[in-house]
Amino acid sequence: MRIALRTVVLLLSLLLGAFVGVSTFLIGNQVKAPPLATAITWPIVTLAPANDAYNGYSARLARNSAARVTIAERKNALTTYLSEPLSVPGLALLETSRLVASDPATNFAYLRTVSELSRRTTYVNRRLAEIYGRQGDAVHMFRWLSRTARTNRDFERAYVASLAGSLSLRGAVEGITPLVGEDPLWRKEFWRLAVRNTPALDRAAAIRKNLIRAPWRQTRIDEEEQWLLAALAAAGHFDTGLDLASALASANDIRGFSSLDSLVRNDRFRAQPRLAPFDWRLSSSSDIVAAIYPKEPGLSVGAITGSSGSAAEQLIKLMPGAYSLAWSISAFEKWGAHQVAVRLRCAEPGVAAAPIDPVFLDDKAGNARVTVPAGDCVWYWLSVDIAVPDDGSGMDIVVNRLSLAAAAPGYEAPAVPVSTAAKPAILAP
């Protein structure tokens, strides 16, 4: 009797284990492999038909945006709905099968309700983004696209490209700022694409400036910020670029970026430049090498025989008038005449500007008068240029200071020296 009872208990345990095992397998595969779950007749399998239909429709939709739900897929969605009315894939198929309502308002309300059941249904998220886009609500459109990207990595690349390409839309700044403010994994890719959208660079800069403030407080200066500043300068958005660079400099407490005494930023070379070209852009060619070492302030410049070009340059804004250029240089050996010069040339594309004679820094310290002529140009490249003749020796100098300020009334600094005995090594443009 006891043996028979043990046998019955063992058989019941085996049957229960088998039931649990098969049920677990089928429940798990209702999402992972719905065709397999559907093929096995089992009362607990209720979600598989809609999941199978949804996966098939989604695959066709990815290949053809005009794809429609088939009769079989609609039947599977209805079958699932009757047993599991909260099945999101089934509810999504009912909406796209036009079985919910004919008026857009009801359909929209339906989709919003379905979206509360799950954040992972790509079709619902994209449909809501599409509706908001047609309504001109860029903030909500980007938000729903963001939800899709977070739950569907295959969609992420297309999503980021659409964000960068949508910068020109009304409301893009307000809509995109909080998305990038979350510091997503695709942040770098977004900025890489955004700097290529030249017509919308001002809006990209507005987004980056917004991110400096609360609640995001993204104050770091990485290569993405440097890409954006370089793109703004290349496109002629000088004021926007300087505004962004100043905000980043203030947030990072960069020493000497702005000064009341000079129009040249970082004029005493106390900080490593990270905001070029609105701070110093340094040469790193094989002929001329320039570097700034904050622990020993100064612009170190080394040049070999026969080299010629810019060691450092930055963009500055100048109105027509008289200015005083002051400098201080240290070196172990005296450099040749006209081998170091400061040049100003118009940076604005398409603007004709009268040339400005270069100032040759032949002495270790001094100042000179520079006159910016009247005209349409207000943004200039200020550069420290080097020219070592072929029969000369290499040079190593440290520029300790280079400042430019509006000349005070009655200012009578020496005029810019121009040699008449020989042709200058550096010519005005």
Side-chain angles (χ1 to χ4, degrees):
M1 180 69 179
R2 295 177 65 183
I3 294 175
L5 181 61
R6 288 179 179 177
T7 302
V8 170
V9 171
L10 179 60
L11 289 173
L12 288 175
S13 298
L14 290 173
L15 288 172
L16 179 61
F19 177 82
V20 172
V22 173
S23 299
T24 302
F25 171 80
L26 293 174
I27 290 172
N29 281 283
Q30 287 187 97
V31 174
K32 295 181 179 179
L36 176 62
T38 306
I40 301 175
T41 304
W42 197 257
I44 200 168
V45 179
T46 57
L47 299 178
N51 289 339
D52 185 26
Y54 178 79
N55 290 345
Y57 172 67
S58 296
R60 294 201 321 279
L61 191 64
R63 298 190 299 268
N64 177 15
S65 60
R68 296 295 186 91
V69 176
T70 66
I71 296 175
E73 288 166 346
R74 184 173 61 182
K75 180 180 177 181
N76 283 343
L78 286 170
T79 299
T80 298
Y81 174 74
L82 292 175
S83 58
E84 291 290 341
L86 297 184
S87 165
V88 175
L91 295 172
L93 284 178
L94 293 181
E95 191 277 334
T96 195
S97 300
R98 309 295 191 268
L99 295 180
V100 177
S102 57
D103 63 293
T106 303
N107 249 25
F108 174 66
Y110 173 84
L111 287 169
R112 284 301 305 265
T113 302
V114 173
S115 72
E116 297 300 322
L117 299 176
S118 172
R119 293 175 174 267
R120 306 189 65 84
T121 307
T122 301
Y123 174 79
V124 175
N125 294 339
R126 293 180 70 173
R127 279 282 290 131
L128 286 168
E130 176 188 332
I131 293 171
Y132 279 119
R134 286 201 302 265
Q135 294 174 351
D137 188 342
V139 173
H140 283 90
M141 180 187 74
F142 291 130
R143 187 174 300 166
W144 284 98
L145 287 174
S146 175
R147 177 185 283 194
T148 302
R150 288 197 298 268
T151 58
N152 186 342
R153 294 303 299 270
D154 293 335
F155 179 67
E156 183 178 293
R157 181 175 293 274
Y159 163 69
V160 175
S162 70
L163 276 187
S166 300
L167 284 168
S168 299
L169 295 178
R170 181 170 55 88
V173 173
E174 296 80 0
I176 296 175
T177 296
L179 303 180
V180 185
E182 295 175 355
D183 209 10
L185 295 176
W186 44 261
R187 174 183 183 274
K188 188 169 186 176
E189 177 67 8
F190 168 75
W191 288 114
R192 186 181 69 82
L193 296 174
V195 298
R196 298 178 181 179
N197 189 353
T198 304
L201 281 173
D202 282 340
R203 294 193 175 189
I207 291 172
R208 186 60 191 90
K209 189 177 178 182
N210 285 344
L211 295 175
I212 297 173
R213 299 191 287 265
W216 305 287
R217 299 195 184 283
Q218 291 184 12
T219 59
R220 61 180 179 262
I221 303 173
D222 292 329
E223 60 180 348
E224 296 94 314
E225 285 69 34
Q226 294 168 6
W227 293 343
L228 182 54
L229 291 174
L232 287 165
H237 299 281
F238 304 116
D239 289 290
T240 301
L242 177 58
D243 183 55
L244 175 59
S246 299
L248 288 167
S250 177
N252 287 272
D253 195 25
I254 295 179
R255 296 177 61 194
F257 183 80
S258 59
S259 171
L260 297 176
D261 300 326
S262 176
L263 296 169
V264 179
R265 289 171 288 282
N266 199 4
D267 63 322
R268 295 180 182 272
F269 309 98
R270 292 175 175 171
Q272 184 68 30
R274 294 185 290 161
L275 298 169
F278 300 94
D279 196 345
W280 294 106
R281 183 161 66 188
L282 306 178
S283 169
S284 58
S285 71
S286 58
D287 296 338
I288 301 173
V289 177
I292 294 176
Y293 305 103
K295 292 184 177 179
E296 298 178 4
L299 172 67
S300 298
V301 180
I304 64 174
T305 300
S307 59
S308 177
S310 172
E313 62 182 2
Q314 70 170 258
L315 285 164
I316 62 173
K317 190 174 186 178
L318 298 173
M319 302 305 293
Y323 294 84
S324 171
L325 178 73
W327 70 89
S328 173
I329 299 176
S330 59
F332 290 109
E333 297 180 358
K334 177 64 177 177
W335 58 95
H338 294 170
Q339 288 188 6
V340 183
V342 171
R343 176 189 291 178
L344 285 169
R345 66 185 190 278
C346 183
E348 298 183 44
V351 175
I356 300 174
D357 290 331
V359 176
F360 295 103
L361 312 186
D362 291 344
D363 298 317
K364 289 188 174 182
N367 61 79
R369 184 178 71 247
V370 177
T371 300
V372 175
D376 296 330
C377 187
V378 295
W379 278 94
Y380 290 83
W381 284 107
L382 180 144
S383 61
V384 178
D385 290 356
I386 304 297
V388 181
D390 294 336
D391 58 353
S393 59
M395 61 180 297
D396 288 287
I397 63 172
V398 176
V399 182
N400 301 304
R401 181 192 176 209
L402 184 66
S403 66
L404 185 70
Y411 171 73
E412 293 294 340
V416 177
V418 177
S419 172
T420 57
K423 184 179 179 180
I426 301 177
L427 301 176

